[in-house]
Amino acid sequence: MGGFHIVVLVKPVPDPECYDRVEIDPAAGVLARQGMPSVLNPSDRHALEEALALQERYGGRVTLVSMTPESSAETLREALAMGGDEAVVLSDRAFAGSDSLATARVLAAGIAKVLPFDLVLAGNESADGGTVHVPSQVGELLGVAHLANVIRLEVDADGSVRARTRIENGYVEVEGELPMVLGLRREVNTPRYTSLMGVLASQEKPIRVLGAEELGVDRSRVGMEGSNMRPGKMSRPSFCRKGERVKGDPEEAAARIVGILRAEGVLG
Amino acid sequence: MTGGAKASGRGGAIWIVAEQAGGKLAPVSVEILGRALAMAREAGGREVAAVLLGKDAGGLADELASHGADKVFLADDPRMEPYRNDAHGAVLARLIARESPEVVLFGAGACGEELAPTVAARLDTGLGAHCTSLDLTDGGLLMMGVLGFGGRVHTEMFCPARRPQMASVKPGIFPPPPRADRKGTVVREDVAALLEGEKIRLRAVKVVREAPEGVPLEGAEVVVGGGFGIGGKEQWTLLEDLARELSGAVGCTRPALDEGWTPGEHTMIGTSGKTVRPKVYLGFGISGSPHHMVGVKDAGVIVSVNTDARAPVFESSDYCVVSDFRKFVPALIRGIRKAKGEGAGEPSPA
Ligand SMILES: Cc1cc2nc3c(=O)[nH]c(=O)nc-3n(C[C@H](O)[C@H](O)[C@H](O)COP(=O)(O)OP(=O)(O)OC[C@H]3O[C@@H](n4cnc5c(N)ncnc54)[C@H](O)[C@@H]3O)c2cc1C
Ligand SMILES: Cc1cc2nc3c(=O)[nH]c(=O)nc-3n(C[C@H](O)[C@H](O)[C@H](O)COP(=O)(O)OP(=O)(O)OC[C@H]3O[C@@H](n4cnc5c(N)ncnc54)[C@H](O)[C@@H]3O)c2cc1C
């Protein structure tokens, strides 16, 4: 059989290191993204790592799938430098403004194009929207079993799966069979570094670009129009507080803070 | 396949999906029930119902009713325990399709966070993720405040055309309602019928709950937070000493968690961790990244201690102490003991 066909969902996101500098266009109430470099979503590196480890063990194929503007193809190349055989970019103006379910619809259509798959691995959450919806919703739309919050994964050669998922103060061991869609948390593994060989090899790897037409998705079911959720205006929440400087040496400053603790009624 | 519905009339029911474990309701379930009751009141009266899935969970259904739910749909069946997204998702989607509530709220704990998008996909409806505010307009539209970009961006989202309008809410966002001692109706559901024709593929073979170490962050009046600036496990005990002095809880930033200075994931505060609302938050060695600060923004008072006078954390603090925590924390502990000791005799210093 020669291993599994694993699809890894990867999303280029504005670099989380820059979120301090996110600007909103006040008139339009939309994000001004200029100057924010795009990087591979952090938890997606863990999804890719898990796929590569399975590929090393069992052989098979790893395909990266991303719904993203073609201009982010560079980030996909970086992902391919880490590993994977090819990338499929789902790009169309019609996809802009998709809510999580419309995003999942496009991704499910993209995955259907690279059929047959055995396993879909996703990050658990994106750094920008961060809904934690997409893995479960892709699973539902593909009609296969799915899990979010996965922190440990074992897949046997016969396709039986044991996954550990995080719950409050503990975990659950879940069993099932491929095919599956899994959202992986960063505890699941430590992603490898990209090697120079990897960078060189990535230059040769194919990146296919597919639009709404090729995917055969109904335009009225994707993008802003096909989204059940509509966004209002964006703003920057302010965490600003009065910022009073407490003066003096540690003893003096501590005395002041004790006064505040007393005023708040928490000195017991 | 169960389908959701198009928006229709006004005045429909507001539901919450309750989560339970080990014979107890998850606190977030009561918190969202409180918000549902408040919205129903503000809208001039609407039915508020809870859905509870589990085994031998009748007592908890009564508890939900006593908190003020007019109706509790109880799916009490061995197949509802432990939680699995396929079995729970199927039952919920069918119940919702049958009863057509206007609004359905989920707690965004680990299970609810997965269950909500599963059900939204089955019903083809909109879902607001990790909402920080929920308000019904006069027209019955649920306005959901959501954050993105690590808490740096806020937007309101709404679901104009499909029903129900769904939202998930993290623990700690809404205060729990006062106990109402009301008596609602408990409706026992036929789980076998609700699961008919559904494929259940997942098997939850083991559920492990570790008793968390330390005072829980939830509900603590004082939270002592530590960041990467603490620099090591040994120094970390200083924060634990301080918290003990104030009967408070210790929380941390992600780098401090990653360094292994804290007892675990349940102590992390921020976008990927917990939201706390203590009376006082005391932060040490924390730079003030929005990823962290979003988790403490509802604290009554924020005190930050940092060696760097220009640390961004000071902008989002009420009181800013430029100091090395290694000098400041012992001084603070001495000060607290002295203050507490006044009139009760001086306790011996550490
Ligand atoms: C501030 C803000 C708030 C938002 N709130 C909501 C909301 O409440 N409800 C809602 O429906 N939408 C919301 N959205 C829109 C949502 O972010 C987009 O629909 C997005 O395309 C998908 O969701 P996500 O990024 O949150 O993914 P998540 O579900 O958090 O992502 C999990 C994983 O899914 C995979 N994945 C996600 N997107 C892609 C992609 N484009 N290509 C490949 N893989 C992908 C990745 O592996 C990722 O790690 C919000 C957006 C913003 C900016
Ligand atoms: C998708 C994503 C999600 C994230 N989620 C979270 C989250 O939920 N929670 C979270 O916390 N982070 C989260 N992060 C990480 C976050 O972006 C920041 O990196 C993190 O909060 C910074 O932690 P810190 O303040 O402890 O460390 P640093 O930024 O390294 O700050 C250390 C501070 O300590 C000060 N210091 C040093 N020595 C001393 C001393 N002796 N006395 C006093 N002060 C001293 C320094 O001046 C500095 O300001 C997330 C990141 C991403 C990308």
Side-chain angles (χ1 to χ4, degrees), chain B residues 50-345:
Chain B
V51 189
L52 182 64
L53 314 172
K55 183 169 79 101
D56 303 326
L60 296 180
D62 293 337
E63 197 177 322
L64 285 163
S66 81
H67 277 294
D70 300 308
K71 208 184 253 178
V72 182
F73 295 95
L74 173 63
D76 201 331
D77 190 282
R79 279 163 292 193
M80 294 288 99
E81 191 73 50
Y83 160 83
R84 282 163 304 161
N85 65 44
D86 48 9
H88 279 217
V91 164
L92 269 172
R94 288 201 169 159
L95 262 178
I96 291 169
R98 189 188 80 199
E99 300 286 326
S100 309
E102 268 283 303
V103 170
V104 181
L105 309 181
F106 290 78
C111 300
E113 182 174 71
E114 178 192 58
L115 187 57
T118 301
V119 173
R122 286 185 179 230
L123 297 172
D124 185 10
T125 193
L127 172 66
H130 311 138
C131 298
T132 52
S133 64
L134 292 171
D135 293 283
L136 271 186
T137 65
D138 292 341
L141 212 51
L142 183 68
M143 298 306 291
M144 315 177 216
V146 297
L147 296 172
F149 293 85
R152 258 312 180 226
V153 171
H154 173 271
T155 183
E156 280 209 319
M157 300 196 78
F158 55 99
C159 175
R162 301 284 300 173
R163 291 297 177 267
Q165 309 169 78
M166 304 209 333
S168 75
V169 180
K170 276 199 181 190
I173 299 294
F174 295 113
R179 250 198 125 82
D181 279 323
R182 297 243 313 265
K183 263 208 150 42
T185 337
V186 176
V187 184
R188 287 195 169 258
E189 292 296 334
D190 180 351
V191 173
L194 287 167
L195 280 175
E196 197 176 323
E198 290 289 342
K199 232 200 191 111
I200 307 304
R201 304 183 180 91
L202 298 171
R203 300 181 297 277
V205 292
K206 191 160 116 192
V207 181
V208 176
R209 282 177 207 278
E210 296 128 358
E213 276 177 54
V215 177
L217 286 170
E218 296 85 353
E221 288 200 339
V222 177
V223 172
V224 176
F228 191 64
I230 299 306
K233 214 173 171 124
E234 254 162 60
Q235 292 95 289
W236 194 264
T237 55
L238 264 183
L239 303 188
E240 287 163 351
D241 292 344
L242 174 60
R244 204 169 307 116
E245 224 36 75
L246 293 164
S247 310
V250 181
C252 68
T253 65
R254 194 157 103 175
L257 172 74
D258 289 345
E259 293 296 326
W261 302 334
T262 81
E265 198 66 43
H266 65 280
T267 58
M268 185 171 73
I269 296 171
T271 20
S272 339
K274 295 205 165 152
T275 307
V276 295
R277 41 171 70 230
K279 282 187 180 161
V280 181
Y281 181 70
L282 299 158
F284 301 92
I286 293 171
S287 61
S289 146
H291 282 126
H292 180 72
M293 298 314 286
V294 70
V296 298
K297 68 178 174 45
D298 294 323
V301 169
I302 297 182
V303 178
S304 291
V305 180
N306 199 303
T307 39
D308 177 2
R310 290 170 41 184
V313 72
F314 288 146
E315 278 167 41
S316 26
S317 307
D318 297 292
Y319 300 97
C320 314
V321 183
V322 181
S323 179
D324 188 323
F325 80 95
R326 287 169 295 190
K327 297 218 171 72
F328 182 80
V329 173
L332 186 57
I333 292 178
R334 281 194 297 275
I336 292 166
R337 287 188 177 166
K338 195 165 150 225
K340 285 203 287 194
E342 272 163 20

